[in-house]
């Protein structure tokens, strides 16, 4: 199974680890594209703080994020699973997984990023600020920028596995599974059962809990239909809609009353 995750806007501090090595990141087919985005971002932030803050959509209180981006090439790096924080990652709680579940996480979790394209949770990266919705002056909208390199790399990364797509819409724009890969892809919405509405906190926390449940159980569904049964066995209320045509993803709704 390959699980596609959004990043978190909030991130832990980089720490004092060895600096980033772009050629050591997973999915080496993305290296050149990553280095181009990194260079554009660093140049923007080093040249004009106010313009950088505007481009990145940062409030006055987040002005320090611009200076942090300038230091990205030399900043300490930590595993991406430690850098990303927030509701989804708190619920997932990678640090508390047992050794077997951590190995599954390393193989199966892929975090999408405006700066890196996509990284595995074991890839060492510095803390940064650059969402997929950003338009860098030299590259344009990052969601569009990443489509071509992702289309080259992601089908191979998916292989023959089920693809569980938990990304938000901004990050889903960077790669849309097609053809045979799309046919074994399942997208998930989390709905507040009483209102049938998407609620941000419920959505993020439940997605983190779903991933954690799959990792700790060791269940490895071979396709979307098996995933539906696996989630029901794990105690989730799931409504599924198979695609009307071949080569399109399944749609899953997970219904929740509240998050504990």
């Amino acid at each position: 199974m390959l699980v596609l995750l959004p990043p978190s806007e909030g991130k832990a501090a980089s720490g004092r680890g060895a600096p980033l090595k772009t050629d050591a990141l997973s999915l080496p087919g993305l290296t050149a594209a990553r280095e181009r985005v990194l260079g554009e971002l660093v140049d923007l932030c080093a040249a004009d703080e106010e313009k950088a803050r505007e481009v990145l959509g940062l409030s006055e209180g987040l002005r320090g994020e611009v200076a942090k981006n300038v230091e990205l090439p030399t900043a300490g790096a930590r595993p991406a699973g430690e850098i990303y924080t927030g509701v989804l990652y708190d619920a997932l709680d990678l640090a508390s997984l047992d050794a077997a579940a951590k190995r599954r996480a390393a193989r199966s979790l892929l975090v999408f990023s405006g700066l890196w394209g996509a990284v595995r949770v074991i890839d060492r990266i510095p803390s940064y600020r650059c969402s997929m919705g950003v338009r860098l002056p030299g590259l344009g909208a990052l969601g569009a920028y990443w489509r071509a390199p992702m289309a080259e790399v992601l089908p191979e990364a998916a292989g023959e596995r089920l693809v569980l797509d938990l990304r938000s819409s901004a990050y889903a724009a960077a790669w849309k599974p097609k053809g045979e890969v799309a046919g074994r892809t399942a997208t998930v919405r989390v709905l507040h059962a009483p209102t049938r509405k998407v609620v941000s906190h419920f959505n993020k926390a439940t997605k983190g809990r779903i991933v954690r449940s799959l990792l700790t159980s060791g269940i490895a569904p071979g396709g979307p239909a098996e995933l539906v049964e696996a989630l029901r066995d794990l105690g989730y209320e799931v409504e599924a809609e198979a695609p009307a045509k071949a080569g399109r993803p399944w749609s899953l709704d997970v219904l929740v009353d509240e998050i504990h």
Side-chain angles (χ1 to χ4, degrees), residues 108-132:
S108 63
L109 305 188
L110 201 60
V111 184
F112 275 61
S113 163
L115 176 52
W116 314 116
V119 292
R120 299 194 186 280
V121 292
I122 56 173
D123 285 329
R124 298 179 63 84
I125 59 173
S127 183
Y128 67 96
R129 183 65 70 128
C130 183
S131 72
M132 193 66 81

Side-chain angles (χ1 to χ4, degrees), residues 4 112 146-147 150-151 154-155 165 167 169 171-179 181-182 185 187 247 249:
L4 311 181
F112 275 61
W146 282 111
R147 285 176 196 152
M150 290 289 198
L154 266 294
D165 190 350
R167 297 172 296 167
S169 58
Y171 291 89
W175 181 59
K176 190 172 292 186
K178 295 181 179 180
V181 179
T185 295
T187 63

Side-chain angles (χ1 to χ4, degrees), residues 61-242:
L62 293 174
R63 181 180 293 274
E65 298 293 300
V66 176
K68 184 169 72 174
N69 280 349
V70 175
E71 303 299 325
L72 285 174
T74 57
R78 296 167 59 187
E82 297 177 13
I83 290 290
Y84 294 116
T85 59
V87 174
L88 188 155
Y89 291 91
D90 285 347
L92 174 53
D93 195 9
L94 287 167
S96 69
L97 295 175
D98 63 29
K102 285 180 178 176
R103 288 193 294 271
R104 295 183 195 108
R107 293 192 301 266
S108 63
L109 305 188
L110 201 60
V111 184
F112 275 61
S113 163
L115 176 52
W116 314 116
V119 292
R120 299 194 186 280
V121 292
I122 56 173
D123 285 329
R124 298 179 63 84
I125 59 173
S127 183
Y128 67 96
R129 183 65 70 128
C130 183
S131 72
M132 193 66 81
V134 164
R135 298 179 64 91
L136 289 177
L139 299 178
L142 291 177
Y145 169 81
W146 282 111
R147 285 176 196 152
M150 290 289 198
E152 292 290 327
V153 171
L154 266 294
E156 181 179 354
E160 300 297 320
R161 294 182 287 176
L162 163 72
V163 177
L164 175 55
D165 190 350
L166 302 178
R167 297 172 296 167
S168 56
S169 58
Y171 291 89
W175 181 59
K176 190 172 292 186
K178 295 181 179 180
E180 192 269 336
V181 179
R184 48 188 163 81
T185 295
T187 63
V188 173
R189 295 190 307 173
V190 178
L191 303 181
H192 183 219
T195 63
R196 290 290 189 170
K197 293 181 179 179
V198 175
V199 181
S200 179
H201 180 83
F202 285 24
N203 179 56
K204 294 174 182 177
T206 302
K207 286 179 177 178
R209 291 172 60 214
I210 286 170
V211 176
R212 183 178 178 87
S213 296
L214 292 168
L215 293 173
T216 56
S217 70
I219 297 173
E226 292 178 34
L227 173 65
V228 173
E229 294 307 312
L231 291 177
R232 289 172 177 164
D233 289 344
L234 289 168
Y236 294 94
E237 184 179 353
V238 182
E239 296 178 351
E241 183 179 345

